[in-house]
Each structure stands twice: as structure tokens, then as C-alpha cells.
Amino acid sequence: MTIFPKIERITRDATVSHFLLMFGYKLFSLYFPLFLIARGFSLPQVGYTYLLIYLPLALFAPVVGFFSHKISPIILATSGIFGYGIYCLGMILIHPVQMWILFSLFQIFLGISAALFFVSMRGILIAAPLENPNRAFAWFYSAPFYAAVIAPVVGAILIWKFNFFGVFAFSLVLQFFNAIFCFISLERQKIPGLSIKISGKTLLWKEKFQDIQQNYQSVFEKLKKRNIFIPIMVAFCVLLLGGFYRAFFVLFLKDLGWTQNLILLFVSLLSLVFLPLSLLLIKRIEKLTSQKSIFQGAAITGFFSIALGSLGGFANFSSIFFVKIGQAVGGLMSGSGRSGLLSQRLKEHPKEAGALDTIFSPLGAALGSLLSGLIIGILGFSNLFILGGIFVFVVAMVGKKLSQKA
């Protein structure tokens, strides 16, 4: 019996492309808040910067879902990867403070590029004949953790040697080759309805829009059912809490007096330890129903957020490391359960389901970053994490009870 969970070919190719995308992004993303603070940004401005990335991602997701009916999702996903490369080029050429408007436009552009990739890739996975959707999405969502094992280390070396020019230039080249891999590998899959080759008469845009409108009406009718709506909203609350950490966790470590090298060691070691743990976790996730995976993941995430905020003066490397491992476990369970549930219940409308699933993640991150940016000056890091954790834990418990009554 192998320790590796089964992975289908389409899941493997999607996960590899996701890994390469996140590897290129994580070369510099860990240091981005520190970079902004060093350039004179305030804490609310850091949160606002993340809002500029994640809100367009959420808003543009339905647009990508619409265009995926006329343009192959494979082409759209490849375009999104190229977009990440163009973003890196923009970060090389512009100054974030002196060219604030152009800098902001590039953050929006990154959000749109992410929408192109994630909506299309989720739609591709949902349309594929997956044996176990929960397992497939668990593989897909674990890719950023694998990338984070060495990407921050490589990024730190590049920044030390060549400043941020080096790290953005390397990421640019990597995304170019990733785009080629994505296009070739996915086109070879020959998934029905996703091939580049189009035969027969295609519908006019007006007719297609009417069809899509009917599809979304069908999707929302199903989403209104209690046994779907409740777990999806619980999973969204996990994403909302994730927005708190996305913008401020690294700054929280800096506030504790951690050096950049210690932060780098922490993130790399966290991902390295989580890598084998994720393989065991995927085996567990594939045995759970999507709802159970969501509720258990949310409760775990909320509990460990409370624990992190409660550490106070006892916070050290080992205690924070243990807490973050717990949060990573909860996040993977909740995210894969959410996508698995949508994949199973909305199988007949994969492109709309992919768009809808993509909306949740960036919208949660955007609203979480915005909200935490507004209140962190009042609450401070510890209270912010505690209150966010209590909220998610309570929502998970209440949601589980209500779902059982449905």
C-alpha cells in the first residue's frame, strides 16, 4: 500500500501547473508586506493593497465563467499564467510609492490574471471525470504548500543578490515556461467540451448569454438548499479569517521581534513539515463527506487561531509553528470540502461552478484584509486573531447543528 494518495492524470497536471504558478508568486509574496512597510506604507494601506488584488479576482470570476463558454478554459488558464508574468515585469519597471496609481492598476491586473487561472482550472477539474472530487481538490489546494517549501528560500537569495529585480525576473521566466506546460499538458487530456478545436455552429453571444443566465439560475436554486448553503457559508468564514493572516501574519512575527531570516526559516520549515502531513491528510479527506470536511476544517482553523492570539508573551518559534500547522490542516480540509461539494452538486454546470468557487476565496481574502486593516489599530494582532478564531469556531459548531437538522 503506497503512502501517496491516488492522483489522476488531469489532477496531476493541474496540480503541477498550480505549483509552478505559486512557486513563482511565493518567491516574493512572503516579503511583500515587509517591502511595502519599508517603502512607507501604513498597516491599513497594506490591507488595502491586498484588497486591490483579491476583490478584482472575485468580481472578474463570473466574467471568466462567461467567456469560458466561447473560449476554451485551457486558453484562459494559460492567459492567466502569462498575466502573472506580466505583473512581475510591471513590478520591475514601476515604483510602488512614486507611481502609486500604476502600482494599484497592476495589483488589479494580478487579480484578473488569477481569476483567469483559477476559474478555468476549477472548471476543468469539475468537468473532468474525477473518481473522488474531494481528493482531487485536496491535491490541487496542497500545491501552494509544496511551493512554499523552497520558494521563499530561493526568493531570499535572489533578493539578497539582485534585489527585487532578480526575484521578479526569475518569476517572469518561470511563468512563461509554466504557461507552455499548462497549454500542452491540458490540451492532451481531450476532456469533452474543453478542447481547443471547435466544430459545428456556435451560438451567438446573445443566445449564449441567455443560456448562461439560465445556468446560473439553476446553480443558485441548488445553492439555496440548506445542506449546501450552510457548509458553503461556513467555508467562506474560514476564508474571511484567512484574509486576516494573509495581510498581517508576517507583520505579526516582525512585531514579536523576529528577523527576516527567522521568518524565512519558519515559513520554509512549516511547508516542509506540512508536505508529508498533507499526503496523510488527503487520504483522510477522501474518506469524509464534503460537509464533514468543511465543518471539521473550520472548527480546527478557529481553534488554532484562538490559540495563536492567546499565546501572548508565551509565543515562541515552536508554539507558533504548532499552531500554524493546525491552521494549515483546517484550511486544506475546509477548502477541498467546499470545492468537492460544489463539484458534486453542480457537475452539470462546471464553468459556472468554477466561477462561483473562485469567487469565494478572493472575496474572503479581500474582505478579511479590509476588515482587519480597519480594526487592527484598535484591537492589535492578538485580539484580532482571537476574535476571528472565536467567530469561525462558533460558526462551524452552529453550522454543523443546523445542517444536521436539514
Side-chain angles (χ1 to χ4, degrees):
M1 180 178 178
T2 178
I3 63 170
F4 293 98
K6 184 178 179 180
I7 182 170
E8 295 130 312
R9 184 182 172 191
I10 181 64
T11 305
R12 180 201 64 195
D13 291 344
T15 301
V16 169
S17 186
H18 191 195
F19 167 81
L20 293 173
L21 185 80
M22 289 294 98
F23 186 92
Y25 180 65
K26 287 181 179 293
L27 287 170
F28 59 85
S29 63
L30 172 66
Y31 312 103
F32 207 53
L34 300 174
F35 172 73
L36 295 177
I37 291 293
R39 292 301 181 97
F41 281 47
S42 65
L43 291 179
Q45 285 177 318
V46 173
Y48 178 69
T49 299
Y50 281 92
L51 178 69
L52 288 176
I53 297 173
Y54 291 105
L55 188 58
L57 203 172
L59 295 177
F60 201 72
V63 180
V64 177
F66 171 71
F67 279 101
S68 65
H69 284 274
K70 296 289 288 185
I71 304 172
S72 169
I74 299 173
I75 294 178
L76 296 177
T78 303
S79 300
I81 298 172
F82 273 121
Y84 272 76
I86 295 172
Y87 172 81
C88 292
L89 180 62
M91 293 300 97
I92 292 173
L93 299 177
I94 66 176
H95 190 285
V97 176
Q98 297 175 0
M99 306 172 71
W100 166 248
I101 295 178
L102 189 58
F103 172 79
S104 299
L105 290 176
F106 265 92
Q107 308 315 306
I108 295 172
F109 178 76
L110 178 62
I112 294 174
S113 300
L116 285 167
F117 177 81
F118 286 106
V119 171
S120 302
M121 200 60 79
R122 285 185 174 107
I124 289 169
L125 285 175
I126 292 172
L130 299 175
E131 182 181 298
N132 188 307
N134 285 355
R135 181 182 64 209
F137 279 103
W139 270 114
F140 184 72
Y141 289 139
S142 64
F145 292 101
Y146 306 151
V149 173
I150 57 174
V153 179
V154 176
I157 295 173
L158 291 170
I159 293 171
W160 171 72
K161 191 72 176 177
F162 305 105
N163 210 326
F164 269 85
F165 169 82
V167 76
F168 285 126
F170 184 82
S171 182
L172 169 62
V173 174
L174 181 64
Q175 301 303 1
F176 174 77
F177 285 104
N178 183 24
I180 296 175
F181 166 79
C182 178
F183 182 86
I184 294 176
S185 63
L186 293 181
E187 176 58 11
R188 285 176 178 173
Q189 302 287 337
K190 300 301 179 184
I191 301 173
L194 300 182
S195 176
I196 303 299
K197 297 177 182 179
I198 301 175
S199 60
K201 183 179 178 181
T202 58
L203 293 175
L204 298 174
W205 282 107
K206 182 178 179 180
E207 295 171 328
K208 181 56 68 178
F209 180 79
Q210 292 173 344
D211 282 354
I212 295 171
Q213 191 176 30
Q214 292 176 355
N215 290 345
Y216 272 111
Q217 287 176 349
S218 175
V219 164
F220 285 118
E221 282 297 320
K222 292 184 178 180
L223 285 179
K224 288 192 298 184
K225 295 180 179 179
R226 198 172 183 179
N227 60 345
I228 302 178
F229 179 79
I230 292 175
I232 291 298
M233 287 300 101
V234 170
F236 179 76
C237 290
V238 174
L239 296 170
L240 193 68
L241 178 61
F244 292 11
Y245 286 88
R246 195 178 298 269
F248 295 112
F249 178 67
V250 173
L251 298 180
F252 163 69
L253 298 181
K254 184 182 178 183
D255 189 62
L256 293 177
W258 289 29
T259 63
Q260 179 172 303
N261 288 337
L262 186 59
I263 294 174
L264 172 64
L265 174 64
F266 177 86
V267 174
S268 299
L269 186 61
L270 180 71
S271 298
L272 184 63
V273 171
F274 188 74
L275 195 155
L277 181 61
S278 68
L279 299 178
L280 298 175
L281 188 59
I282 292 171
K283 282 182 172 290
R284 172 172 172 75
I285 289 172
E286 70 178 351
K287 297 176 182 177
L288 296 174
T289 65
S290 297
Q291 289 90 336
K292 283 186 177 180
S293 185
I294 291 171
F295 293 134
Q296 290 183 16
I300 291 170
T301 303
F303 172 80
F304 280 103
S305 184
I306 297 170
L308 179 61
S310 301
L311 285 173
F314 297 99
N316 54 37
F317 190 96
S318 58
S319 61
I320 297 177
F321 185 86
F322 176 75
V323 166
K324 289 302 292 180
I325 284 289
Q327 286 186 322
V329 168
L332 182 58
M333 291 181 67
S334 175
S336 57
R338 183 195 73 244
S339 295
L341 180 62
L342 291 175
S343 175
Q344 295 166 50
R345 300 304 175 90
L346 306 177
K347 188 72 175 179
E348 64 273 24
H349 302 303
K351 294 165 184 175
E352 287 75 18
L356 188 64
D357 192 23
T358 303
I359 289 174
F360 287 114
S361 296
L363 185 60
L367 294 179
S369 298
L370 177 63
L371 178 60
S372 58
L374 293 174
I375 63 178
I376 193 169
I378 301 172
L379 297 177
F381 292 111
S382 294
N383 289 332
L384 179 70
F385 296 155
I386 290 174
L387 290 178
I390 291 174
F391 170 71
V392 171
F393 186 84
V394 170
V395 166
M397 294 296 99
V398 173
K400 182 180 179 180
K401 291 290 185 182
L402 293 176
S403 183
Q404 289 174 344
K405 296 178 181 178

